[in-house]
Amino acid sequence: MTLSAAASPAPTPLVQVRGLTVEFATEEGALRAVDGLDFHIDPGETLAVVGESGSGKSVTSLALMRLVEFGGGRISAGSILFDGSTGRRDLAAEPLEAMNGIRGNEIAMIFQEPMTSLNPVFTIGEQIAEAVRLHQGANDRDARAEALRMLEKVRIPEARGLLDRHPHQLSGGMRQRVMIAMALACRPKLLVADEPTTALDVTIQAQILRLIRILQEEMGMAVMFITHDMGVVAEVADRVLVMHRGKKVEEGSATEIFARPRHPYTRALLSAVPRLGALAGETLPRRFPLVVIEDGAAGVAGSTTQSPPQDTVRGDRPLLEVGDLTTRFDVRKGLFGGLTGRVHAVEQVSFDLRAGETLALVGESGCGKSTTGRTIMQLQTATSGRIAFKGRDIFAMAPAERRRLRQKIQYVFQDPFASLDPRLTVGFSIAEPLLTHELVPRAEIDDRVAALLADVGLLPEHAKRYPYEFSGGQRQRLCIARALACEPELLIADEAVAALDVSIQAQIVNLLMELQEKRGLAYVFISHDIAVVERVSHRVAVMYLGQIVEIGPRIAVFENPQHAYTRRLMAAVPIADPTRRDRDRPMLEGEIPSPIRRLDDLPVVRPLVEVAPGHFVARHPIGDFT
Amino acid sequence: MLDYLVRRILGTIPVILVISVVVFAFVHLLPGDPARLVAGMDATLEDVAAVRKSLGLDGPIWDQYWRFLSHAVQGDFGMSLKSRRPVITEIGERLMPTVWLTVFAMVWATAAGLLIGVASAVKRGRWQDWGGMFVAVSGISFPSFWLGLLMIDLFSVRLGWLPTGGYGTPAHFVMPSFTLGLGVAAVMARFTRSAFIEIAREDYVRTARAKGVPEQTVIWKHTLRNALVPVITMVGLQFGFLLGGSIVVETVFTWPGLGRLLVDSVAYRDYPVIQAEILLFSLEFIVINLAVDVLYALANPEIRFR
C-alpha cells in the first residue's frame, strides 16, 4: 500500500500515460471523452481516479485495457507505457490480439455491476479456471484447483461447494468476491477497479474494500481505483487524480488533495460531498453549503455559503402515525405452488411524523425501508397494522376518501430516468395529477405548471420539452415538481438522490429542504446513504430485517448509537478524510441475513425500550444480533 | 429440474383437453347435417341414421364427446370415408415422411440461420451483415410454392439432376427440405443476429475480454451460449410454422406425407381423417414445445435450479 513511500527515490512507474486522447464517433462528429490525459501509476500503489459522470474516468480505465475499442471508442493520440513481464510496451500501439496476453494476466479489471458482470450460463469455477487455463497453460484439474484456492483467498465460506454453482445463486457481495478471485487468479501487476463497490451496501462495501487492500499487500500489485465517492477515495487512495470533462484537473497525494485542494473544481467537489459527522453537535439539520460548479469561459468556479439550521417542525399532533405496520410476501414453491414461507419485509414498525419534519429510514438492501414507504403510499397492501393520516385511520376509510388522500401523500422515486414518460412533454406529466384530481380549472393549468417549475428551479418554457432533453438532476427536479402539483403534505422520497452525482445530489437535497421550509412538508426520507441522512433528517429510524432497531432524534442516534447494528452501520461508512481512516475498525462480517422465514418460524418482535427522551432501541434478539 | 419437468407435463393436460373439445366440435360447427352430407343427398333416412351412428354423432352431446375422447385415446378415429380404411392406418403410413421432412428442414435451417445470424452480428454494419440480411429477407419473402416450382423447373426439368417429386432416396429430400426450411432459416438468422447483438452488449462479455479470452471464444462460448436461450424458444415456434408449411411443400413435391393427406381429406370432406390430423398436429406442437422448454431449462441455469 505504502510501497511507493518506502521504496527508493522515484521508482520506475508501472504505467506511464502521456497525452491520452479517446474519441467516440457520433453522428455529430468525434466526441472527445478523454483529452490529453497524463498520469502514472507506481508499482504497488493505489491511484484513485475521481470525477462525476461524464468526466471520462471509466473511459480512461477501458482505454488502459484496450477494451474501449469494443464500445465504439478509439485511442486517437497518446501513449500508455506499461512495464510488463516482457519489458516496456506501449499498450496504445499494441495490436488488439496481443492484448489478450496482457488482459487478465498482467492487468486485470473488476467492474461496477457484480450482478451482471458474471456469465449466467457458466459455473463460478469454470469462469475463474478459464483465466488460469488461458494465461498459465494449466490443465482442467489444475485450473480448477487454482480456482478453489482463489475463492478461499477472497474469503468465501465453503468455497468448494461454490465451484459448481451458477452466478444467480449468489448475492451481489459474493459475486464481487468471485470477480476479484477471477481478476487476481493470474497475479496481475495492476488491478483496474471501476466503481467496484458502488452497487453494494455499505457494510459489504467495507468488506470488499478491506479485501482488495489485503490482497494488494499480499500480491504487491498496484490498483487503479475509479470512483465518484470521495469517502471511498479517502479510504483507499495513496494518490488521487481528479478528472473533469475528460481532462485532468488535479493530481496529488490523497492527504494533500483532501487537506489543500488547489483547483476550484476539486474544492467544489469536496464541499459537495456529504461527510458523516459534518453536523456533529447540532440538533437540527442544515443545508449543504451552496456549491456552484460552472464551466464557463473563466473555467471552473466554485463558491460556498453557509445556511441556517432547518427549524421547521410544527404542530403537536402527528401528521402521520404508523402503528405495528406489518407487510409480508408469500413465497410459493414446488409442484403445486404451495406456500413454503414468507418474506417478512416489514415487521411491526411503528413511528409518527409531524408537519415539517423529516424522518429518515436507513438500512441496507432488504431491510424493508422501501416496502414501508410503499405501504404508506398504499402501493402495497399491508398485512396488518395501522396507518393514520391527520388522526384518521386510512384502512378504515371509504375508497373515495382514500383516493383523495393519495393527493396528500406523494412519492419521489430513485431513478429519474425511468419515472418520467419519455413520450409526453414534462408539462403534461406535471399537469396530469392536477387534471386527474380536478384540482385546478383547465384554464389555469399552464400558469400552475409554470409556477411549479419555478419552485423547483426550472423555467416555465421547459414545460414544452421532453424528458430526454434534461439531465438526471433536472429530471429529479421535474419529478419533485410533479409530486408537488397536488399540494401534498407528506412526501416519501425513496433513495431520491442516490442515482445523482454529488454536486447534483447536494442541490436536490437543498431543494427538498427549501421546499420543506416554504411549504411545511413532512418527509419520509428513505436512504442507504448515512451521510446524506445526517444532513436532512430531524429524526432517524434504523431498519434491519424488517424491524426498526433504533429510532430517535438524529443527534441521539448518530452521536450516541445504542444498538450494535447502528454502530456497525455507521462504522462501515467511509469517511471523506484520509487522516481519519481506521482500517482495522470492527465491521459486520458475512452476508446480510435473509428476511425469508418458514411459515412456522415467526420473528421475535418486542416493543422498543426508551433509553432517552424520544430515543428508542430494540433490546430483543434480531438476526445476527442477540 | 424434475419438478419443473413434471409441472410442465401436467400443464399440457388442460391444453390437450381444450384442443380435443375444439376438434370434436369441428364436425358440429359445420353448416348442415354432417351425416346427411356424408351419406349423400339421395340417401334414405335409415342410411343417414346408420352413417350418423358410424360417425358417432348419435345420442346426447356429452356422450358423443366421451366416446370420441375414449376412442381417440386408444388411437381409434373411425374409418376414412374415402379409403374405407381405419384412419389410424392411413395416418400411420404418412407420418414418417412428414417427420423426416420437417426434421431435415429444421436441422439445416437452424444451423444455417445460426451461422448467418452470428456472422451478421459480428460484422455488424459491414458488407457481410448486409449480405446475410439480404439473403434472410429474400428467404422470408419468397413464397414456398413459387420457389418450389422454380426449382423443379431448373433442377429437374432443365438440368435433370433431381427428381420432380416423390419419396424414397436422399435425392428426393433435397428440394422439399430446402424449400420448407428457407423461411425458417431466414427468421432464425434475423432472430439470432438481434439476440447476439443484445448479448454482446452485456457486462459479462466485457468481463470475458477483460480476462484476455480470445475473440473467437468470446463469440462462440461467452456470447452465443447466452444468445441461444431466446433462440431455442424461437426454434419451437418455427416448428409450428414448418408443420403448416409442409402442407404446401408436400403438395408441390407430391410428398406422401400428412400435409398432402390433409389437403386430400379436405377436398373429399373426409371428416374423421381431418379430425385426427388436427389433433395430431396439435399434439406434435405441444410435444415440441415441451421439448423446447426442457432444452431452454438446460441452457438456462436460472430455470434449471429454481
Side-chain angles (χ1 to χ4, degrees):
Chain A
M1 192 79 230
T2 45
L3 263 180
S4 56
S8 51
T12 337
L14 180 67
V15 178
Q16 178 79 55
V17 172
R18 284 201 191 96
L20 181 68
T21 303
V22 182
E23 291 180 336
F24 286 83
T26 67
E27 280 167 20
E28 291 95 45
L31 176 89
R32 198 163 273 197
V34 176
D35 191 358
L37 190 67
D38 300 316
F39 68 92
H40 71 274
I41 305 170
D42 287 327
E45 79 163 347
T46 300
L47 174 76
V49 182
V50 264
E52 297 188 284
S53 36
S55 63
K57 57 189 192 302
S58 282
V59 174
T60 304
S61 66
L62 291 174
L64 201 72
M65 292 288 282
R66 288 292 295 282
L67 287 172
V68 78
E69 273 100 332
F70 295 99
R74 193 173 67 88
I75 298 175
S76 55
S79 62
I80 304 167
L81 293 178
F82 176 68
D83 203 7
S85 54
T86 51
R88 216 166 165 73
R89 290 155 81 175
D90 180 6
L91 301 185
E94 287 289 324
L96 266 182
E97 299 77 58
M99 286 304 294
N100 286 337
I102 292 174
R103 282 193 217 124
N105 188 20
E106 299 200 58
I107 309 178
M109 187 159 181
I110 53 178
F111 300 96
Q112 173 168 0
E113 276 299 336
M115 302 309 276
T116 56
S117 292
L118 289 169
N119 197 323
V121 302
F122 298 112
T123 61
I124 302 294
E126 160 60 20
Q127 295 192 52
I128 303 173
E130 186 179 30
V132 180
R133 287 200 309 266
L134 276 170
H135 298 299
Q136 301 179 352
N139 62 26
D140 281 352
R141 227 187 37 167
D142 292 349
R144 194 177 151 87
E146 182 62 26
L148 178 62
R149 234 185 340 270
M150 285 314 296
L151 285 177
E152 279 162 357
K153 218 174 181 61
V154 296
R155 277 99 178 139
I156 284 181
E158 291 165 46
R160 189 174 294 278
L162 210 71
L163 279 176
D164 294 315
R165 298 254 213 119
H166 286 83
H168 73 273
Q169 296 166 302
L170 272 61
S171 69
M174 277 299 158
R175 291 191 208 189
Q176 200 59 294
R177 282 173 196 263
V178 171
M179 280 296 289
I180 294 171
M182 202 160 84
L184 302 189
C186 298
R187 305 190 153 253
K189 289 186 167 172
L190 172 65
L191 175 69
V192 180
D194 186 0
E195 304 262 12
T197 58
T198 306
L200 304 174
D201 277 307
V202 274
T203 58
I204 308 297
Q205 164 171 293
Q207 293 173 12
I208 297 291
L209 291 179
R210 179 174 289 186
L211 176 69
I212 292 176
R213 197 185 69 242
I214 292 169
L215 295 176
Q216 178 181 21
E217 276 167 16
E218 270 179 38
M219 300 187 172
M221 66 181 174
V223 175
M224 176 179 175
F225 203 105
I226 287 103
T227 181
H228 70 284
D229 186 335
M230 295 304 272
V232 171
V233 174
E235 185 83 24
V236 301
D238 297 320
R239 283 189 316 115
V240 181
L241 168 70
V242 185
M243 287 186 71
H244 183 56
R245 304 219 169 160
K247 290 191 172 132
K248 174 162 85 176
V249 165
E250 193 163 352
E251 186 182 0
S253 77
T255 41
E256 210 178 307
I257 294 266
F258 277 88
R260 286 175 300 279
R262 284 192 307 270
H263 196 281
Y265 176 77
T266 316
R267 280 203 290 273
L269 195 63
L270 279 170
S271 65
V273 173
R275 288 168 198 247
L276 187 59
L279 298 188
E282 295 190 44
T283 52
L284 291 169
R286 190 194 283 277
R287 279 175 230 168
F288 281 102
L290 186 67
V291 183
V292 187
I293 298 176
E294 278 165 3
D295 199 21
V300 188
S303 64
T304 53
T305 48
Q306 251 328 321
S307 56
Q310 188 88 352
D311 186 10
T312 51
V313 185
R314 299 285 175 267
D316 309 318
R317 294 218 351 261
L319 180 73
L320 174 76
E321 293 162 86
V322 175
D324 290 331
L325 186 69
T326 300
T327 307
R328 296 174 186 158
F329 305 100
D330 291 346
V331 178
R332 293 179 183 279
K333 264 193 192 138
L335 204 51
F336 300 104
L339 189 64
T340 55
R342 287 200 178 89
V343 183
H344 292 254
V346 180
E347 229 7 92
Q348 299 185 36
V349 159
S350 305
F351 59 84
D352 54 23
L353 182 65
R354 289 190 287 165
E357 186 177 36
T358 303
L359 172 74
L361 295 182
V362 297
E364 299 181 279
S365 327
C367 73
K369 55 190 192 301
S370 285
T371 310
T372 305
R374 294 173 59 85
T375 310
I376 296 170
M377 187 67 201
Q378 302 166 57
L379 293 171
Q380 182 66 55
T381 317
T383 309
S384 65
R386 188 181 110 93
I387 301 172
F389 192 76
K390 289 186 169 171
R392 311 246 307 121
D393 187 342
I394 67 170
F395 296 138
M397 283 177 188
E401 192 185 356
R402 213 189 288 185
R403 251 196 314 280
R404 274 198 300 282
L405 184 76
R406 287 231 170 104
Q407 299 165 30
K408 296 293 164 199
I409 307 178
Q410 289 290 319
Y411 214 92
V412 179
F413 295 92
Q414 170 169 3
D415 189 346
F417 289 88
S419 40
L420 287 167
D421 190 323
R423 281 168 199 86
L424 299 175
T425 64
V426 300
F428 185 86
S429 289
I430 296 171
E432 199 171 24
L434 296 171
L435 294 167
T436 318
H437 295 294
E438 292 170 353
L439 298 176
V440 178
R442 277 186 179 270
E444 294 168 28
I445 289 273
D446 286 349
D447 293 343
R448 197 49 205 288
V449 169
L452 285 165
L453 284 170
D455 279 352
V456 297
L458 295 171
L459 300 172
E461 54 261 39
H462 284 152
K464 299 234 169 9
R465 299 198 188 159
Y466 288 89
Y468 72 89
E469 297 174 71
F470 295 91
S471 67
Q474 285 175 321
R475 284 188 213 206
Q476 202 56 298
R477 285 173 192 268
L478 291 168
C479 291
I480 294 170
R482 178 175 57 182
L484 293 177
C486 303
E487 300 282 332
E489 294 176 51
L490 170 64
L491 215 58
I492 300 171
D494 190 354
E495 300 279 8
V497 297
L500 306 172
D501 274 325
V502 277
S503 61
I504 310 297
Q505 187 178 9
Q507 289 169 18
I508 298 293
V509 165
N510 282 1
L511 172 68
L512 287 172
M513 293 171 82
E514 193 186 308
L515 292 167
Q516 181 171 58
E517 196 181 353
K518 278 194 201 148
R519 297 174 175 239
L521 282 168
Y523 291 128
V524 174
F525 192 88
I526 298 166
S527 180
H528 71 282
D529 189 334
I530 315 278
V532 171
V533 163
E534 185 186 28
R535 273 283 163 190
V536 297
S537 46
H538 297 90
R539 286 193 304 138
V540 174
V542 181
M543 290 189 71
Y544 175 69
L545 278 178
Q547 300 188 39
I548 291 182
V549 296
E550 182 158 7
I551 181 169
R554 192 261 304 154
I555 185 168
V557 175
F558 272 61
E559 286 171 31
N560 187 18
Q562 290 296 306
H563 199 275
Y565 178 70
T566 313
R567 284 198 290 269
R568 291 293 167 89
L569 195 62
M570 304 271 177
V573 179
I575 298 163
D577 183 352
T579 57
R580 275 171 62 194
R581 66 183 164 202
D582 172 14
R583 285 173 164 170
D584 301 315
R585 61 183 191 262
M587 52 185 178
L588 284 173
E589 293 299 335
E591 298 273 284
I592 301 168
S594 162
I596 300 175
R597 306 177 78 99
R598 278 179 290 116
L599 288 179
D600 54 353
D601 177 26
L602 289 174
V604 180
V605 188
R606 294 206 193 106
L608 303 184
V609 179
E610 187 162 20
V611 290
H615 188 180
F616 296 85
V617 180
R619 290 289 190 223
H620 58 278
I622 307 174
D624 297 339
F625 296 91
T626 49
Chain B
M1 182 65 197
L2 193 67
D3 212 41
Y4 172 81
L5 192 63
V6 172
R7 215 164 16 178
R8 292 291 314 159
I9 291 173
L10 289 180
T12 60
I13 291 174
V15 181
I16 293 173
L17 282 177
V18 168
I19 291 168
S20 74
V21 169
V22 172
V23 169
F24 167 72
F26 158 75
V27 173
H28 291 267
L29 292 174
L30 290 171
D33 180 358
R36 166 59 75 184
L37 272 169
V38 169
M41 291 318 280
D42 46 0
T44 64
L45 278 177
E46 289 80 48
D47 285 347
V48 173
V51 170
R52 180 169 294 128
K53 197 165 164 51
S54 75
L55 287 175
L57 298 177
D58 54 331
I61 189 106
W62 60 85
D63 193 37
Q64 288 180 32
Y65 174 66
W66 176 246
R67 266 183 288 153
F68 167 75
L69 194 64
S70 52
H71 286 155
V73 168
Q74 297 164 37
D76 177 7
F77 292 92
M79 294 295 222
S80 162
L81 300 177
K82 187 183 168 199
S83 66
R84 308 281 165 191
R85 295 198 302 157
V87 171
I88 195 74
T89 323
E90 194 84 355
I91 286 181
E93 287 169 1
R94 305 293 198 101
L95 181 64
M96 284 330 280
T98 296
V99 167
W100 285 123
L101 179 62
T102 38
V103 166
F104 272 171
M106 199 68 218
V107 167
W108 88 257
T110 308
L114 276 176
L115 278 173
I116 294 173
V118 170
S120 287
V122 171
K123 303 282 182 187
R124 197 179 170 197
R126 310 248 283 275
W127 66 264
Q128 293 95 329
D129 185 15
W130 290 107
M133 285 307 107
F134 177 78
V135 171
V137 171
S138 316
I140 292 170
S141 320
F142 252 115
S144 53
F145 62 89
W146 177 241
L147 181 70
L149 291 175
L150 284 183
M151 286 177 59
I152 290 174
D153 183 51
L154 179 65
F155 294 108
S156 310
V157 180
R158 285 167 203 263
L159 299 172
W161 290 353
L162 294 166
T164 55
Y167 176 71
T169 66
H172 283 103
F173 273 90
V174 177
M175 289 197 294
S177 66
F178 178 80
T179 315
L180 185 57
L182 186 66
V184 174
V187 172
M188 295 302 296
R190 289 182 63 93
F191 195 77
T192 305
R193 176 181 181 270
S194 60
F196 191 94
I197 286 173
E198 202 167 298
I199 299 292
R201 273 196 278 263
E202 290 284 344
D203 288 346
Y204 51 77
V205 175
R206 185 181 58 184
T207 304
R209 293 206 175 96
K211 270 197 286 194
V213 175
E215 198 53 27
Q216 289 301 318
T217 316
V218 170
I219 292 170
W220 296 107
K221 181 177 171 188
H222 290 265
T223 315
L224 186 64
R225 215 11 250 288
N226 282 283
L228 274 183
V229 174
V231 167
I232 286 170
T233 314
M234 202 61 193
V235 171
L237 293 173
Q238 289 300 313
F239 245 114
F241 178 79
L242 276 191
L243 290 175
S246 67
I247 296 174
V248 175
V249 171
E250 288 182 8
T251 308
V252 171
F253 292 100
T254 57
W255 192 264
L258 290 174
R260 208 150 60 85
L261 179 63
L262 187 63
V263 174
D264 293 346
S265 307
V266 170
Y268 198 80
R269 303 200 182 197
D270 197 344
Y271 300 124
V273 178
I274 298 174
Q275 274 188 319
E277 280 225 44
I278 296 175
L279 201 61
L280 188 69
F281 273 136
S282 313
L283 281 181
E284 262 183 74
F285 197 60
I286 289 171
V287 169
I288 286 162
N289 272 291
L290 194 66
V292 163
D293 280 341
V294 172
L295 275 178
Y296 187 82
L298 287 176
N300 188 351
E302 279 184 50
I303 292 185
R304 206 184 328 157
F305 292 101
R306 194 162 55 197

